[in-house]
Amino acid sequence: MIAAPRLPARVAMAQAVHSEIIVEGLAATGYAVVADAFAPEAIAALRERGFSLDARGEFVAAGIGRGTARAARSDIRGDRIRWLDRMEAAREEAVVWRTLDALRNALNGSLMLGVWSFEGHYALYAPGAFYARHRDAFRDDDARVVSCVLYLNERWHAAEGGALRLHVAEGKCVDVLPQGGTLVTFLAGRFEHEVLAATRPRLALTGWFRRREREPHAVARRG
């Protein structure tokens, strides 16, 4: 694992502000959207890293379900993924892990969520691919507590589609465009959500803060 460099004071301060916004959003509404959560150069490096991994054939079709019931269903979920491994993190990913550590501490300190670890992956949607309405938490497993999505796309326009649609109340939705640098967090077991089809490739880092009782990699490949 490559250690993250020491962050400049202004970057650390920005991360603290973002963590506060996320904590307040989760407490008030169960979700938070932070634009420009990472510097443009960090997002550009992550975007290049993601597309490079894809070009090397390291992405695989995502599945639904888990265990023996897990299956690829492009009619429900059409993205391809590449799991993150902190022990083998590339330099471009180090700032993400450091930010996640700071956010985990803020979530536990302010909301006492008891999250212990993070599991996540790159998610790449080809044009026309989508993810139907679903929840991130499994019915018989509440280990996933907070869902996180960091978008890596450059100069995204509304006409290109690809929004994350959060169903926040009966008959009420919040759409978030996948603009690079935007970080979305929400309570995993609370909100149904979906990924709308886009007219161009759509890349993100997505994952979940998990409770301590389950090791992240014991279930990381199930869905």
Side-chain angles (χ1 to χ4, degrees):
M1 179 179 66
I2 298 175
R6 184 178 180 83
L7 295 176
R10 62 179 178 81
V11 176
M13 183 177 297
Q15 289 184 352
V17 171
H18 295 156
S19 292
E20 183 177 349
I21 292 172
I22 291 169
V23 166
E24 291 177 353
L26 292 179
T29 65
Y31 68 93
V33 179
V34 179
D36 301 320
F38 287 77
E41 56 269 25
I43 294 299
L46 287 166
R47 180 170 60 248
E48 182 177 352
R49 164 79 172 160
F51 282 122
S52 175
L53 290 169
D54 182 49
R56 300 202 314 245
E58 296 194 25
F59 278 65
V60 298
I64 61 171
R66 53 180 172 167
T68 58
R70 187 175 183 274
R73 288 283 306 275
S74 60
D75 58 322
I76 297 175
R77 179 180 184 181
D79 59 324
R80 292 181 293 113
I81 63 173
R82 197 272 193 180
W83 287 94
L84 297 171
D85 186 339
R86 185 165 190 167
M87 299 307 296
E88 299 179 0
R91 186 174 301 277
E92 299 91 335
E93 297 160 357
V95 66
V96 175
W97 285 110
R98 172 163 284 185
T99 300
L100 290 171
D101 284 342
L103 179 55
R104 176 176 55 83
N105 290 335
L107 293 174
N108 286 336
S110 298
L111 302 179
M112 295 179 286
L113 294 181
V115 292
W116 176 253
S117 60
F118 182 86
E119 62 174 3
H121 54 66
Y122 290 93
L124 179 59
Y125 289 80
F130 62 93
Y131 196 161
R133 185 169 173 171
H134 66 286
R135 278 192 176 90
D136 283 344
F138 295 98
R139 292 181 180 178
D140 59 347
D141 184 351
D142 62 354
R144 291 177 176 177
V145 180
V146 177
S147 298
C148 303
V149 185
L150 173 64
Y151 293 112
L152 307 179
N153 308 293
E154 186 176 17
R155 292 191 296 273
W156 198 276
H157 304 288
E160 295 170 316
L164 170 69
R165 176 165 291 171
L166 283 174
H167 296 268
V168 298
E170 187 67 31
K172 181 180 179 182
C173 301
V174 172
D175 284 359
V176 183
L177 287 179
Q179 180 63 48
T182 298
L183 176 62
V184 185
T185 56
F186 56 94
L187 298 178
R190 180 169 170 181
F191 298 113
E192 291 188 337
H193 55 285
E194 56 188 305
V195 176
L196 306 183
T199 60
R200 56 181 271 206
R202 176 189 186 278
L203 182 65
L205 279 177
T206 184
W208 310 271
F209 284 109
R210 300 175 56 87
R211 290 194 172 93
R212 185 173 186 172
E213 61 264 25
R214 289 186 180 269
E215 291 297 327
H217 295 297
V219 292
R221 303 301 187 264
R222 67 187 179 185

